């Protein structure tokens, strides 16, 4: 496991941080935590959002270079996600970042295998390619590689309102991480700076590897229900996701990931080293999110 880079604290002067993906599961947690800190926060939004105290919203799209240029004006640090399934549309973004040269903190994936020529699946490949594109553009990004976010299980909420079984493609065990912990770690990295900080990725994991069946059982305990996971063969899972109206390319990427992504035993203390608090368990996450799965107060 690579060493965690040590980052000296910076003076508590106000700095402008541009947050991408602010409406997402991770981005909402990040915004809430940045709010309490001495930072000027700007968010890049595809759609207008209502006014939020202390946060400026700029309309833009990660694939539209002109909007990125406008959003970067006066920005010191960028929290960057790349939510698309290929990097071809990232050219204008990378060019604007290279021209403005802010500090870039990129949210990547612990599933990257640094020794592999090709990654296990298209989603991991995109993250490996983005890391390389940012480096090749001379940006020296600080990379936060995140394990599977616990919030992905919110996709089961509709099934769990209808019954006690979660059906879906099985996936290899991995140390699912609370998106709130990833956000808390990101805040610490965003608001500090160190010259030698940008070399080694942080590896943000939860405390233990879990499979889908483990997660469903843990959710059941939090909800006071007997729940079970029923793995669905790849073909059936694909058909179901397409019938649900999900884009074909995303469906294929998810199915490929479920088939090819290897089991991971990686568990790190990087969340704790960055935030001072140990990574929370999936059981703690489940208790905190019961209402989103229909738990009555
Ligand atoms: N989920 C995981 O397990 C995991 C693990 C490792 C890394 N990651 C990375 O973390 C990112 C955030 O995860 P999440 O669960 O918070 O995702 P999410 O809930 O799906 O949110 C995605 C965000 O990206 C924004 N977005 C999508 N296309 C955009 C575009 N063309 N221009 C600007 N913004 C755009 C969305 O904005 P709108 O509201 O406009 O749609 C939304 O704010 C992922 O995209 C992935 O790259 C995720």
């Amino acid at each position: 496991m690579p060493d965690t880079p040590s980052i000296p604290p910076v003076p508590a002067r106000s700095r402008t941080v541009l947050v991408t993906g602010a409406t997402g599961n991770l981005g909402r947690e990040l915004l809430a935590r940045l709010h309490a800190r001495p930072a000027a926060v700007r968010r890049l939004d595809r759609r207008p959002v209502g006014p939020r105290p202390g946060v400026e919203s700029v309309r833009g799209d990660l694939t539209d270079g002109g909007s990125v240029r406008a959003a970067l004006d006066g920005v010191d640090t960028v929290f960057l996600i790349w939510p698309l399934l290929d990097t071809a549309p990232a050219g204008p973004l990378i060019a604007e970042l290279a021209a403005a040269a802010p500090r870039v903190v990129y949210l990547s994936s612990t599933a990257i295998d640094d020794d592999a020529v090709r990654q296990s699946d298209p989603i991991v490949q995109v993250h490996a390619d983005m890391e390389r594109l940012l480096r090749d553009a001379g940006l020296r990004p600080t990379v936060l590689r995140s394990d599977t976010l616990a919030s992905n299980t919110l996709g089961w909420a509709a099934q769990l309102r209808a019954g006690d079984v979660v059906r879906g493609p099985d996936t290899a065990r991995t140390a699912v991480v609370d998106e709130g912990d990833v956000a808390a770690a990101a805040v610490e990295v965003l608001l500090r700076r160190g010259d030698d900080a940008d070399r080694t990725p942080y590896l943000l994991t939860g405390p233990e590897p879990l499979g889908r069946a483990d997660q469903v059982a843990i959710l059941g305990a939090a909800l006071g229900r007997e729940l079970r996971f029923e793995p669905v063969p790849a073909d059936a899972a694909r058909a179901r996701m397409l019938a649900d109206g999900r884009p074909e390319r995303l469906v294929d990427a998810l199915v490929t990931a479920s088939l090819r992504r290897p089991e991971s035993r990686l568990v790190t203390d990087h969340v704790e080293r960055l935030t001072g608090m140990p990574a929370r368990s999936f059981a703690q996450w489940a208790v905190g999110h019961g209402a989103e799965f229909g738990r009555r107060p």
Side-chain angles (χ1 to χ4, degrees):
M1 180 194 311
D3 288 339
T4 314
S6 68
I7 300 183
V10 286
R13 71 178 176 80
S14 181
R15 54 180 69 250
T16 299
V17 178
L18 177 67
V19 175
T20 63
T23 55
N25 290 311
L26 189 279
R28 287 194 301 272
E29 295 287 337
L30 181 63
L31 260 291
R33 285 164 175 77
L34 271 177
H35 191 59
R37 302 292 288 268
V41 180
R42 182 181 297 166
R43 44 187 287 172
L44 182 80
D45 287 305
R46 289 198 290 181
R47 283 171 280 276
V49 295
R52 309 270 199 288
V55 179
E56 179 192 3
S57 170
V58 170
R59 285 284 285 285
D61 190 301
L62 286 165
T63 61
D64 171 5
S67 69
V68 171
R69 188 181 322 140
L72 283 171
D73 186 34
V75 160
D76 178 88
T77 303
V78 178
F79 176 75
L80 180 65
I81 68 161
W82 184 253
L84 281 75
L85 287 168
D86 79 83
T87 54
L93 165 76
I94 302 279
E96 295 302 335
L97 287 170
R103 182 163 169 261
V104 174
V105 177
Y106 177 63
L107 183 67
S108 184
S109 166
T110 51
I112 289 178
D113 176 352
D114 287 311
D115 297 325
V117 178
R118 296 297 296 168
Q119 301 298 323
S120 59
D121 60 79
I123 296 171
V124 184
Q125 188 64 50
V126 160
H127 288 302
D129 290 346
M130 278 302 285
E131 289 189 15
R132 180 181 47 75
L133 288 168
L134 292 166
R135 278 196 309 271
D136 289 354
L139 284 155
R140 301 178 72 234
T142 300
V143 174
L144 304 180
R145 289 186 182 169
S146 169
D147 213 305
T148 304
L149 299 177
S151 50
N152 292 354
T153 62
L154 293 170
W156 298 338
Q159 291 192 65
L160 289 178
R161 279 195 209 96
D164 292 333
V165 182
V166 173
R167 293 182 182 86
D170 208 355
T171 55
R173 288 154 66 89
T174 186
V176 175
V177 62
D178 186 322
E179 65 282 1
D181 284 341
V182 176
V187 167
E188 297 309 319
V189 172
L190 286 166
L191 299 184
R192 296 188 208 169
R193 189 198 296 276
D195 283 346
D196 63 348
D198 307 339
R199 302 290 180 198
T200 312
Y202 291 94
L203 304 173
L204 305 174
T205 75
E208 59 174 340
L210 296 170
R212 290 265 155 113
D214 303 319
Q215 289 179 74
V216 171
I218 291 169
L219 259 181
L223 299 174
R225 292 166 57 188
E226 285 251 335
L227 305 180
R228 69 187 166 83
F229 178 67
E230 199 174 283
V232 170
D235 282 357
R238 184 175 188 279
R240 186 193 173 112
M241 286 192 266
L242 289 174
D244 286 347
R246 301 177 91 172
E248 187 168 5
R249 198 154 180 210
L250 173 63
V251 169
D252 286 338
L254 292 173
V255 170
T256 306
S258 76
L259 292 171
R260 296 215 200 125
R261 203 171 293 181
E263 177 157 319
S264 168
R265 294 194 187 145
L266 179 76
V267 172
T268 75
D269 64 354
H270 294 191
V271 165
E272 181 165 11
R273 284 158 71 173
L274 283 166
T275 67
M277 299 289 286
R280 282 174 292 192
S281 65
F282 184 69
Q284 288 171 298
W285 182 91
V287 168
H289 289 78
E292 288 149 89
F293 293 94
R295 185 185 63 202
R296 289 174 200 87

